[in-house]
Amino acid sequence: MLHLPTNNTLLEATLIELNEAWLNNAPLVVDRIVSDFDHTTLHLLTPDNENRQWVYLSIVLMTWSSLCKCSNEEFLLRYIQSKFDKYNNDSDNSNIIEILPKNQTVQGYNLTLRLDISKLNNQSITDLSLLKTHIMSYPFQLSFQKFNQLSAMEVAPSNDAVSTYRMQYREDENIYIQPSNDRITVIFETIFNDETDKIFSKVFLQEFVDSRKRNRSIQSAPQVLFSNTPPREIINITTNQNKDVDSKFITFVLFPRHFSNDEIQFKTICKLLQFRHYFHYHIKCSKAFMHSRMRFRVNNFIKVLNRAKFDSNDDEENGTSSGQLDDKRRTITGRKLVY
């Protein structure tokens, strides 16, 4: 199966192109819009045609408003800036990657970064192509911090007393993250509009469960649960109250081994954020594969039927007798027909 890349490859390729053009003393002017999953849009813009050293990178996400509600928009902006502070030089106050103030954000976008194209390197470009992942990782980092606080308590609070972070990444779909003293529960709320998609989803999710039982090498993987009703962790806070919408809930249970250090945390976040795309993408691919196999079999059946056809009019015009026709009639294996 195909694993989709975490970063935005088109954004990365554009930044590399701009950086190489600057190094070759042929700076480019860019005004490019890049689309991503979950109704996310990125915009690369050269604000000044004369000074092409600076480029604006803007992004708009459906999750932005729900991310701000997790704590505060100011804290969210500080967290995003912290991901790029390692590329800035405080000694000479030269910021290679800097978040612009709210009043300077490009209209229609949630966030705008100012980039110094002349000083970008491969690592900084890779981090910029992960901008969406860095932004959406904010509630996960809050959950990790909350987990450390809860695990240090002698008496753990009940689940109802612990805050649950919600990310609305589509109109009727959400991600719920609830930390506790011994685990972090991540719940995906997704919708299958097609009846066949619901059947495929059950097969896929059952394989998640069965493969974990069969293969000992993945026993340490997170536990996966699937339900048609909201789990008890979010039964009181789920936002989708529309009875006409058939929501499904997929739960991942993360234990401390799944976020023990920064590297493992980042890998876990990337895999979880890509899960919805991975899941629906392979459902569509499975349906397309089955349809192609069905068309292939039908074409083979048509070929067999065409070989078995016998046109008497053509043979009579050619002067072929009935006895000679019987000698020419053969099956698909080449054997003569016996009456």
Side-chain angles (χ1 to χ4, degrees), residues 314-321 324:
D314 294 342
D315 291 320
E316 290 177 357
E317 292 176 359
N318 294 332
T320 305
S321 63
Q324 293 174 338

Side-chain angles (χ1 to χ4, degrees), residues 7-68:
N7 62 324
N8 191 301
T9 54
L10 182 55
L11 176 61
E12 183 178 16
T14 304
L15 290 174
I16 291 175
E17 180 184 0
L18 292 173
N19 181 250
E20 290 179 348
W22 178 270
L23 296 178
N24 293 330
N25 296 322
L28 300 176
V29 175
V30 64
D31 186 0
R32 181 172 297 177
I33 296 177
V34 180
S35 298
D36 206 336
F37 294 107
D38 301 331
H39 310 291
T40 299
T41 303
L42 300 108
H43 185 200
L44 278 168
L45 174 68
T46 304
D48 187 358
N49 292 342
E50 299 299 329
N51 186 7
R52 302 178 183 182
Q53 178 181 357
W54 301 99
V55 172
Y56 285 176
L57 172 58
S58 305
I59 185 171
V60 58
L61 308 94
M62 181 170 285
T63 59
W64 185 262
S65 59
S66 58
L67 289 173
C68 294

Side-chain angles (χ1 to χ4, degrees), residues 85-316:
D85 281 341
K86 55 186 175 183
Y87 305 111
N88 298 331
N89 191 350
D90 295 333
S91 59
D92 56 359
N93 197 24
S94 60
N95 293 329
I96 302 174
I97 304 173
E98 180 184 10
I99 296 179
L100 294 180
K102 196 67 178 178
N103 57 354
Q104 298 181 25
T105 302
V106 176
Q107 186 177 4
Y109 291 87
N110 302 127
L111 179 72
T112 299
L113 280 70
R114 188 178 65 171
L115 315 178
D116 187 348
I117 291 298
S118 64
K119 298 181 181 179
L120 291 180
N121 53 34
N122 293 334
Q123 184 60 42
S124 60
I125 290 175
T126 301
D127 267 352
L128 286 169
S129 66
L130 290 166
L131 177 60
K132 176 187 171 184
T133 302
H134 290 319
I135 295 174
M136 295 184 67
S137 67
Y138 180 60
F140 287 94
Q141 292 296 335
L142 294 178
S143 299
F144 297 148
Q145 296 173 9
K146 192 66 175 179
F147 170 83
N148 294 331
Q149 297 175 6
L150 296 175
S151 59
M153 294 182 179
E154 295 181 359
V155 179
S158 61
N159 291 334
D160 296 335
V162 177
S163 59
T164 300
Y165 304 105
R166 180 180 70 90
M167 284 194 296
Q168 184 179 3
Y169 61 97
R170 288 176 182 260
E171 185 176 355
D172 291 321
E173 301 187 18
N174 302 273
I175 301 176
Y176 300 92
I177 310 170
Q178 186 185 74
S180 61
N181 65 322
D182 61 344
R183 70 190 68 189
I184 294 177
T185 305
V186 182
I187 302 171
F188 284 82
E189 179 185 11
T190 186
I191 297 174
F192 300 100
N193 296 319
D194 194 350
E195 290 296 329
T196 55
D197 287 0
K198 299 177 185 178
I199 299 173
F200 275 93
S201 66
K202 292 180 181 179
V203 175
F204 269 83
L205 291 170
Q206 188 61 41
E207 182 61 25
F208 273 92
V209 178
D210 294 342
S211 60
R212 192 169 181 269
K213 293 179 180 178
R214 292 193 305 264
N215 194 345
R216 292 186 176 182
S217 62
I218 59 174
Q219 290 293 316
S220 60
Q223 184 181 5
V224 183
L225 305 174
F226 178 68
S227 64
N228 297 322
T229 57
R232 60 180 181 84
E233 290 88 353
I234 62 170
I235 194 169
N236 295 326
I237 62 172
T238 178
T239 59
N240 195 352
Q241 302 295 337
N242 187 359
K243 295 183 180 180
D244 297 333
V245 177
D246 192 6
S247 298
K248 306 297 181 182
F249 298 89
I250 308 164
T251 303
F252 289 87
V253 182
L254 305 180
F255 293 101
R257 62 176 177 270
H258 300 128
F259 48 90
S260 56
N261 55 53
D262 293 341
E263 182 180 357
I264 296 178
Q265 286 179 10
F266 180 73
K267 289 182 179 179
T268 300
I269 293 171
C270 290
K271 298 299 182 184
L272 287 173
L273 292 179
Q274 288 291 96
F275 172 74
R276 198 268 179 194
H277 317 316
Y278 171 88
F279 190 38
H280 283 258
Y281 174 81
H282 283 92
I283 288 176
K284 303 301 182 185
C285 287
S286 299
K287 291 171 65 177
F289 176 75
M290 291 188 66
H291 291 164
S292 64
R293 292 294 301 169
M294 290 167 62
R295 289 192 294 269
F296 176 76
R297 292 298 298 273
V298 169
N299 289 334
N300 285 341
F301 290 147
I302 292 175
K303 290 179 181 178
V304 173
L305 292 175
N306 289 335
R307 285 196 294 266
K309 282 183 178 179
F310 170 67
D311 194 345
S312 58
N313 295 330
D314 294 342
D315 291 320
E316 290 177 357

